[in-house]
C-alpha cells in the first residue's frame, strides 16, 4: 500500500473530525450562552443528537452490507452521497433562527441530522480500512496515518472555531480574573452589553461554519481521487455474505469484540466529557476564560504530534501495553481541578493530548485484529466488516450521548445561568467533577476491562499465519 494512498485515505477522514471537534468543544456553550436555551433543553439536544447518530449506525451497517459492488467500490458511494447533506445540516446547526419559541426544535432537528449523516460517512469510511489491503501491517500503518490526520482535523476544527468565535464569549463585565473561591471582583450581570450582540455572534458562528464546510469538500475530493477500494482477493466465489441480524448476533457473542467495545466505550465517554465541558470549566470554574482557545489548541497539538510516537510504541511493546498511556491524564486533571493555575493548565493540556492520542489510535488499531480473529472462526462468510464497525460506533456514540446529556442535566440541576460572569458554587463543583473525578473513574474502569482482552501480539501473529494458510 503506497504512502500516497494512505495519506489520501487519512485526509478523507479529517473533515468529519474538524466538524465533530468544533461541535464537541463549542456546541454546549453555544446553546447555553448564544442561543440562550436552558441547560435542560441543551442536554436534550446533545443526548438525542448523539442517540440519533448511534441508532443510525446499525441501520447504516444493514444497508451498506446489502450494497452491491460498483465501479468505485461498495463503500465509497455511501461516503460520497452523504457529504453534501452533512455540510448543509452542519451549517444550519450553528444558525441562530429569528424565532425564540422554536429554537430547541431547530437545534434538535439539525443536530440529529448532522449526527445521523456523519454516521453514514463514518461507518463506510472506517470499514474501508479492511479493503485497502489484506496485510495487517498495511492496515495498522493506514490507521496510524488516519489517526494522525483525524487528530490534526480535530485540532483544525477546535482552533478555527476557537479563534473565530472567541470574541462571542468575552464580556467587558468579566475582565477581572477572579480567585476561584472569591466573588468580590465579579458581577452577576449578563454578558450581553447591547441588543446588537446576538446578531454579531450569529455572523461569527456562521463564518466558522462556512470555513469548516469548505474543509469538508476538500477532504472528500482528496479521498475519492486518491483511494481505490479493493475487494478481498482471497474470498471464494462460494462465500456468502453474512445476514446483518445474524452477523450482529455473532459479533455480540465474540469475546474479544465485547471486551474491546466495553473498555473503549467507557474511555471514549470520559474523553467526550472532557471535550464537552472543558471550555465551560475554563470559563466559569478556573478563571481562564481568556485562555480556553489556546488550551484547546495545546491539547490537540500535543495529540497530533504524539500519534506517531504511540504507533511506534505499540509496534515495539504491544497494543495492550500502549493503553497505559490513556491513564496519564488522570492525576494532572485532578491537579488542575484542585490547583487552577495557568502554567499548570497548559501542562495538563499537553499531557491530556498525549492520553487522548492513545485513546483515539488504539481502538481503531485493535478493531481490525478482532475482525481478522472473527474471520478465522468464520472462514466462509464475508461482509461482516461493516457490522463490526457500525456496532462499535453505535456503542461509543450512545455512551457519549448519555454522558453529555447527564452532564448538561447536572448543570441544569445545580442552577447554571447563561450569560453571567460568576456561576454558583454548586455549578463550579459540578464542572470540577465532570473534568476530574468522573472521567478518572470511567478511564480506570475501561482499562480494567481491557486487562481481559484476549488478543495478544503472539495471537495476532498466529491469526495472520492462519489466514495466509487459509487463503
Amino acid at each position: 500500500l503506497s504512502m500516497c494512498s494512505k495519506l489520501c485515505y487519512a485526509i478523507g477522514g479529517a473533515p468529519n473530525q474538524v466538524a465533530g471537534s468544533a461541535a464537541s468543544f463549542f456546541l454546549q456553550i453555544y446553546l447555553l450562552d448564544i442561543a440562550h436555551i436552558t441547560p435542560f433543553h441543551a442536554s436534550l439536544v446533545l443526548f438525542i443528537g448523539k442517540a440519533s447518530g448511534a441508532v443510525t449506525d446499525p441501520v447504516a451497517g444493514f444497508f451498506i452490507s446489502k450494497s452491491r459492488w460498483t465501479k468505485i467500490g461498495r463503500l465509497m458511494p455511501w461516503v460520497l452521497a452523504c457529504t453534501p447533506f452533512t455540510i448543509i445540516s452542519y451549517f444550519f446547526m450553528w444558525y441562530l433562527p429569528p424565532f425564540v419559541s422554536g429554537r430547541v426544535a431547530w437545534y434538535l432537528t439539525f443536530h440529529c441530522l448532522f449526527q445521523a449523516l456523519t454516521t453514514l460517512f463514518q461507518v463506510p469510511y472506517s470499514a474501508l480500512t479492511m479493503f485497502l489491503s489484506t496485510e495487517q501491517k498495511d492496515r495498522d500503518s493506514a490507521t496510524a496515518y488516519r489517526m494522525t490526520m483525524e487528530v490534526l482535523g480535530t485540532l483544525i476544527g477546535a482552533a478555527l472555531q476557537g479563534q473565530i468565535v472567541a470574541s462571542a464569549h468575552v464580556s467587558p463585565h468579566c475582565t477581572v480574573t477572579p480567585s476561584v473561591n472569591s466573588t468580590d471582583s465579579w458581577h452577576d450581570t449578563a454578558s450581553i452589553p447591547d441588543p446588537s450582540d446576538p446578531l454579531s455572534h450569529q455572523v461569527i458562528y456562521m463564518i466558522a461554519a462556512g470555513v469548516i464546510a469548505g474543509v469538508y469538500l476538500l477532504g472528500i475530493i482528496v479521498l475519492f481521487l486518491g483511494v481505490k477500494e479493493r475487494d478481498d482477493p482471497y474470498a471464494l466465489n462460494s462465500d456468502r455474505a453474512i445476514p446483518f441480524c445474524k452477523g450482529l448476533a455473532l459479533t455480540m457473542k465474540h469475546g474479544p469484540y465485547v471486551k474491546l467495545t466495553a473498555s473503549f466505550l467507557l474511555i471514549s465517554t470520559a474523553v467526550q466529557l472532557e471535550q464537552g465541558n472543558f471550555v465551560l470549566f475554563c470559563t466559569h470554574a478556573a478563571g481562564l476564560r481568556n485562555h480556553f482557545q489556546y488550551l484547546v489548541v495545546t491539547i490537540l497539538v500535543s495529540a497530533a504530534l504524539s500519534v506517531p510516537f504511540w504507533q511506534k510504541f505499540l509496534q515495539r511493546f504491544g497494543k495492550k501495553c500502549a493503553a497505559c498511556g490513556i491513564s496519564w491524564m488522570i492525576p494532572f486533571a485532578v491537579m488542575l481541578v484542585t490547583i487552577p493555575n495557568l502554567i499548570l493548565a497548559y501542562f495538563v493540556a499537553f499531557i491530556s493530548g498525549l492520553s487522548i492520542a492513545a485513546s483515539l489510535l488504539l481502538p481503531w488499531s485493535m478493531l481490525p485484529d478482532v475482525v481478522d480473529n472473527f474471520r478465522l472462526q468464520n472462514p466462509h462468510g464475508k461482509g461482516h466488516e461493516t457490522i463490526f464497525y457500525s456496532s462499535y460506533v453505535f456503542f461509543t456514540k450512545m455512551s457519549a450521548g448519555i454522558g453529555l446529556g447527564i452532564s448538561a442535566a447536572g448543570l441544569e440541576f445545580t442552577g447554571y445561568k447563561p450569560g453571567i460572569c460568576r456561576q454558583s458554587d454548586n455549578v463550579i463543583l459540578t464542572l470540577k467533577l465532570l473534568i476530574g473525578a468522573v472521567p478518572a473513574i470511567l478511564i480506570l474502569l475501561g482499562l480494567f476491562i481491557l486487562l481481559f482482552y484476549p488478543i495478544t501480539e503472539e495471537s495476532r501473529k498466529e491469526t495472520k499465519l492462519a489466514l495466509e494458510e487459509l487463503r
Side-chain angles (χ1 to χ4, degrees):
L1 190 65
S2 70
M3 184 182 293
C4 179
S5 293
K6 289 186 280 191
L7 191 59
C8 290
Y9 172 66
I11 291 172
N16 225 25
Q17 301 305 314
V18 172
S21 168
S24 293
F25 279 108
F26 293 96
L27 184 58
Q28 181 163 262
I29 198 170
Y30 169 81
L31 294 173
L32 294 172
D33 288 359
I34 306 300
H36 285 187
I37 67 176
T38 66
F40 174 73
H41 288 134
S43 71
L44 287 180
V45 171
L46 294 171
F47 170 68
I48 296 175
K50 285 284 186 182
S52 69
V55 170
T56 308
D57 283 301
V59 176
F62 174 79
F63 285 108
I64 292 169
S65 66
K66 297 287 185 182
S67 301
R68 296 189 177 186
W69 192 267
T70 68
K71 290 182 179 179
I72 59 173
R74 184 161 59 92
L75 302 174
M76 191 68 76
W78 286 88
V79 173
L80 296 176
C82 68
T83 299
F85 303 101
T86 306
I87 292 171
I88 293 169
S89 63
Y90 178 80
F91 192 76
F92 281 109
M93 191 172 71
W94 299 100
Y95 176 71
L96 189 68
F99 47 84
V100 176
S101 59
R103 280 184 184 174
V104 175
W106 174 278
Y107 291 115
L108 185 59
T109 299
F110 284 104
H111 190 222
C112 287
L113 280 173
F114 173 71
Q115 291 293 339
L117 288 164
T118 53
T119 294
L120 286 176
F121 177 96
Q122 188 67 23
V123 170
Y125 172 77
S126 56
L128 195 59
T129 309
M130 302 299 297
F131 298 93
L132 297 175
S133 171
T134 57
E135 289 293 322
Q136 286 182 355
K137 185 177 180 181
D138 281 340
R139 294 196 305 239
D140 283 349
S141 179
T143 300
Y145 272 78
R146 172 191 157 197
M147 286 300 108
T148 302
M149 291 306 301
E150 287 194 353
V151 173
L152 283 173
T154 305
L155 166 62
I156 292 168
L160 278 175
Q161 190 87 357
Q163 293 301 320
I164 294 172
V165 309
S167 61
H169 299 284
V170 175
S171 169
H173 297 289
C174 304
T175 53
V176 180
T177 302
S179 167
V180 172
N181 297 318
S182 171
T183 59
D184 295 342
S185 59
W186 288 78
H187 306 282
D188 282 343
T189 54
S191 61
I192 304 174
D194 60 69
S196 67
D197 265 355
L199 181 60
S200 65
H201 295 165
Q202 174 190 337
V203 172
I204 289 169
Y205 269 94
M206 295 307 289
I207 290 171
V211 171
I212 291 175
V215 174
Y216 244 114
L217 284 176
L218 180 63
I220 202 67
I221 291 171
V222 172
L223 177 68
F224 176 68
L225 296 178
V227 174
K228 181 175 175 60
E229 183 181 343
R230 298 176 175 88
D231 202 1
D232 186 351
Y234 301 106
L236 300 175
N237 292 332
S238 59
D239 287 355
R240 299 276 181 182
I242 299 176
F244 182 81
C245 292
K246 180 182 177 183
L248 191 61
L250 288 172
T251 59
M252 294 300 102
K253 296 176 183 176
H254 192 59
Y257 178 71
V258 172
K259 293 179 177 67
L260 180 71
T261 303
S263 171
F264 278 99
L265 71 82
L266 292 170
I267 292 169
S268 65
T269 301
V271 174
Q272 286 285 329
L273 284 173
E274 291 274 359
Q275 284 186 327
N277 294 286
F278 187 76
V279 175
L280 283 170
F281 173 78
C282 291
T283 303
H284 298 299
L288 301 170
R289 68 171 60 237
N290 294 323
H291 295 271
F292 70 80
Q293 66 268 39
Y294 307 113
L295 289 166
V296 168
V297 169
T298 303
I299 291 172
L300 298 173
V301 167
S302 170
L305 293 177
S306 61
V307 168
F309 162 76
W310 285 118
Q311 175 64 11
K312 294 292 184 184
F313 188 96
L314 63 88
Q315 286 177 345
R316 179 75 181 273
F317 300 103
K319 296 178 182 181
K320 286 180 69 173
C321 186
C324 66
I326 300 171
S327 64
W328 291 358
M329 73 166 74
I330 295 175
F332 295 100
V334 172
M335 285 173 64
L336 178 63
V337 166
T338 53
I339 314 169
N341 176 274
L342 181 60
I343 296 174
L344 178 62
Y346 278 100
F347 187 66
V348 170
F350 174 76
I351 297 297
S352 296
L354 297 178
S355 295
I356 288 171
S359 72
L360 291 174
L361 176 63
L362 281 171
W364 296 111
S365 181
M366 297 166 87
L367 196 54
D369 301 336
V370 173
V371 175
D372 279 344
N373 183 272
F374 181 85
R375 177 67 182 270
L376 189 62
Q377 296 179 21
N378 300 270
H380 298 298
K382 62 180 182 179
H384 53 279
E385 295 87 359
T386 52
I387 300 173
F388 273 99
Y389 280 85
S390 63
S391 55
Y392 176 77
V393 177
F394 165 79
F395 287 118
T396 53
K397 279 190 176 179
M398 183 61 76
S399 64
I402 293 171
L404 289 174
I406 290 174
S407 71
L411 292 175
E412 166 83 11
F413 179 75
T414 52
Y416 180 90
K417 295 178 181 178
I420 65 171
C421 298
R422 168 75 182 180
Q423 297 291 338
S424 69
D425 290 340
N426 287 335
V427 171
I428 292 172
L429 177 61
T430 302
L431 288 170
K432 288 181 177 180
L433 291 173
L434 292 172
I435 287 292
V438 178
I441 293 169
L442 292 174
I443 289 171
L444 291 174
L445 285 174
L447 292 176
F448 177 74
I449 294 172
L450 197 62
L451 291 174
F452 302 97
Y453 175 70
I455 298 178
T456 62
E457 295 306 302
E458 286 299 318
S459 65
R460 282 182 68 220
K461 293 175 183 177
E462 292 170 1
T463 300
K464 179 183 177 182
L465 291 173
L467 283 176
E468 287 175 355
E469 186 178 346
L470 185 68
R471 285 161 175 163

